[in-house]
Structure formats: structure tokens, C-alpha cells
Amino acid sequence: MDPKQAQYISAFAYILGRAAHADQEISKDEIKEMERIVRELGQLPKEQAILVVQMARTQNVLFGHTDNFLVAREFGKTTTREQKIALLHCLFAVSSTDKNVSSLEDREIRQIARELNLEHSDFIAIRSTHREHLSVLKKYKHSE
């Protein structure tokens, strides 16, 4: 694999893991969705996608607080706007595997969007496509 492509996929997987781990737990369904996304994105065999996701998860858990900004900033510098938008869609897809995007996950995705220098309107547009899974809106709907 081309080194630039490998760097792109590993950063993408790391950021997916960051959003999934925002609530201090990464479910089996989130892991499967991450593997599916990485497999399709990188056109990797299943075994390689599993390995990439496992490495990203481990690195995120061990070094997340210090590496989060650095990985996102580097990803932002080396990718197009379209790739950043695709990442945000995937972040919400991973976070909504349990049909519930927690407030912690939502805030983490918002922070990632900022670190990627995306417009707030980009974040809102993508977030709105997952509104049925946003826990904050579910709470509001139930309180009516």
C-alpha cells in the first residue's frame, strides 16, 4: 500500500475510534461498523481492516488525550474538504450503530469538525441526517 494511503486510513480509523470512545465504551457494533468503513475505504481485506481498527482503538485508548488534536490536525492538513465531510458522515454512522448518538459522542464529533476546520454549517448539515439517533433530541421529544 502507498504510504500516504496507509497514513490516511490509519488516521481515519483513529478518528473513528475517537468518536466511538467518547462515551468511554466502544461496543461490538461500533467496532464492526468501523471495520466495515475501513475495509471499504481502504479496499482492504477483512483481516487487515480488523488489524487497522484494533491498532487505532488501542492507540486511542492509550494516547487519546495527547494525540487526538495532533491526528485530527494532520488529517485536516492532508485531506480535501470532501474527505473531511465523508469522515463526519462515518463518525455519525459509527456513533449511531446503537440507534443513539450520546451527548458525549455528539460533542466529540463537533470538536473533531472544528479541528478539521470545517464550517459549523457542515457539521449541522451532517448531524441533521442522524437527528433521529441524537439522544439530546430524544430527551426533548419524550419531555413534551
Side-chain angles (χ1 to χ4, degrees):
M1 179 182 290
D2 173 61
K4 286 187 179 190
Q5 179 70 3
Q7 182 180 13
Y8 171 77
I9 292 170
S10 65
F12 197 100
Y14 178 90
I15 297 169
L16 288 176
R18 176 179 167 186
H21 191 252
D23 58 3
Q24 302 303 308
E25 179 185 348
I26 302 177
S27 72
K28 290 180 182 180
D29 289 338
E30 287 174 324
I31 293 167
K32 286 181 182 179
E33 182 66 5
M34 290 169 60
E35 290 169 353
R36 183 194 66 76
I37 290 168
V38 168
R39 188 174 61 247
E40 290 176 7
L41 177 75
Q43 298 176 353
L44 299 174
K46 183 178 182 177
E47 297 76 25
Q48 282 184 337
I50 290 169
L51 182 62
V52 168
V53 168
Q54 181 61 39
M55 288 175 14
R57 284 180 46 229
T58 301
Q59 185 178 9
N60 191 284
V61 170
L62 294 176
F63 307 109
H65 296 294
T66 56
D67 287 352
N68 284 349
F69 176 75
L70 297 174
V71 172
R73 184 179 62 184
E74 188 61 29
F75 186 86
K77 286 181 183 178
T78 60
T79 55
T80 65
R81 181 177 183 282
E82 291 75 23
Q83 290 171 315
K84 295 173 194 177
I85 294 293
L87 173 61
L88 282 190
H89 279 290
C90 292
L91 293 174
F92 276 106
V94 167
S95 295
S96 66
T97 57
D98 60 356
K99 308 294 185 226
N100 185 57
V101 177
S102 73
S103 295
L104 292 170
E105 291 167 325
D106 188 43
R107 276 195 298 265
E108 190 69 24
I109 296 169
R110 183 185 307 256
Q111 181 62 36
I112 292 167
R114 285 186 197 119
E115 292 169 7
L116 296 175
N117 292 319
L118 287 170
E119 297 293 323
H120 184 66
S121 60
D122 294 325
F123 169 77
I124 295 299
I126 295 165
R127 182 181 188 247
S128 70
T129 65
H130 297 275
R131 66 183 161 271
E132 71 275 9
H133 301 303
L134 297 172
S135 66
V136 69
L137 295 180
K138 288 179 180 181
K139 289 176 188 175
Y140 176 74
K141 188 176 182 178
H142 291 304
S143 67
E144 292 180 341

